[in-house]
Amino acid sequence: AMTATFRSLLAAGAACALLAGCVSFGSEAPPQLLTLTSSATPGAGSMASASVTDAIVVDTPTVERTLDQVRVPVQVSDSAIAYVKDAVWADKPARLFRTVLAETLAAKSGRLVLDQVETGAERSTMLSGQLQRFGYDEDRRAAIVRFDAVVRKPGSPLRKQRFEASVPVATVDAVTVGAALNQAANTVAAEVAAWTTG
């Protein structure tokens, strides 16, 4: 009986060891990953074609070091930053925001929108910029998205403009702050789209 029990324990231990290789049992993994979803996307089956000169190329924004990672920053003061507990992005904010920008531009302009990776053409309209703020502000009790957009059109001078949106946050937790940032990001993306194609 003892031998059978010992064998059962060994089998259970082996199964747990195999499972541990695929699943995290520790507290390191967040309950969920946050992402951004564009509120304006092209419909299923929609197509766009254009010459290189009519296309819009959306580059991934540059960011400072505090945004070059997947945690959600909290601006505690002018010189101090914390992070929202358990709030982790599925990708870096700059890449998520670039996707929202591209989807919004494609939906609102009807033009062909490309990633810079897809084309190195210098004759396209180029949208780039810097994501200055993308997190929660303790003093304002709001989620803040601030983007300095830069547009370069062939034959035209560079244009630069700052866009900012804030959404009040009642409860500082991962889900609430994530939803507020998604709303603010979509507001900024819509304003940038109108400015870019205007």
Side-chain angles (χ1 to χ4, degrees):
M2 290 182 64
T3 302
T5 301
F6 182 69
R7 287 176 178 171
S8 297
L9 289 173
L10 280 179
C16 287
L18 287 172
L19 188 59
C22 303
V23 178
S24 174
F25 290 96
S27 59
E28 293 83 2
Q32 59 187 328
L33 295 177
L34 303 174
T35 191
L36 298 179
T37 305
S38 176
S39 58
T41 59
S46 61
M47 296 179 63
S49 62
S51 64
V52 172
T53 55
D54 290 329
I56 302 175
V57 178
V58 181
D59 199 5
T60 301
T62 60
V63 293
E64 60 180 24
R65 184 169 296 180
T66 56
L67 293 179
D68 192 26
Q69 41 89 23
V70 295
R71 292 186 294 174
V72 178
V74 176
Q75 192 75 38
V76 179
S77 67
D78 290 341
S79 58
I81 291 177
Y83 294 94
V84 179
K85 183 181 179 181
D86 294 331
V88 180
W89 294 111
D91 199 350
K92 290 185 178 181
R95 290 198 284 263
L96 293 174
F97 183 64
R98 185 235 161 251
T99 300
V100 171
L101 274 177
E103 289 281 313
T104 304
L105 264 169
K108 291 187 175 294
S109 70
R111 293 172 62 181
L112 180 64
V113 178
L114 302 172
D115 190 324
Q116 192 174 29
V117 174
E118 295 173 322
T119 174
E122 294 297 321
R123 293 176 293 160
S124 305
T125 296
M126 291 282 300
L127 172 61
S128 59
Q130 183 172 23
L131 195 57
Q132 295 277 359
R133 295 281 299 276
F134 202 87
Y136 176 74
D137 189 287
E138 181 67 28
D139 289 338
R140 297 169 63 176
R141 296 186 180 277
I144 309 293
V145 174
R146 180 186 298 157
F147 179 56
D148 288 345
V150 177
V151 164
R152 189 211 68 199
K153 295 183 179 180
S156 300
L158 285 174
R159 291 191 298 148
K160 181 178 181 180
Q161 184 168 320
R162 172 165 290 182
F163 297 87
E164 181 173 310
S166 64
V167 175
V169 174
T171 304
V172 183
D173 57 37
V175 173
T176 307
V177 173
L181 283 169
N182 188 67
Q183 182 180 338
N186 274 278
T187 298
V188 169
E191 294 175 355
V192 172
W195 174 74
T196 302
T197 57

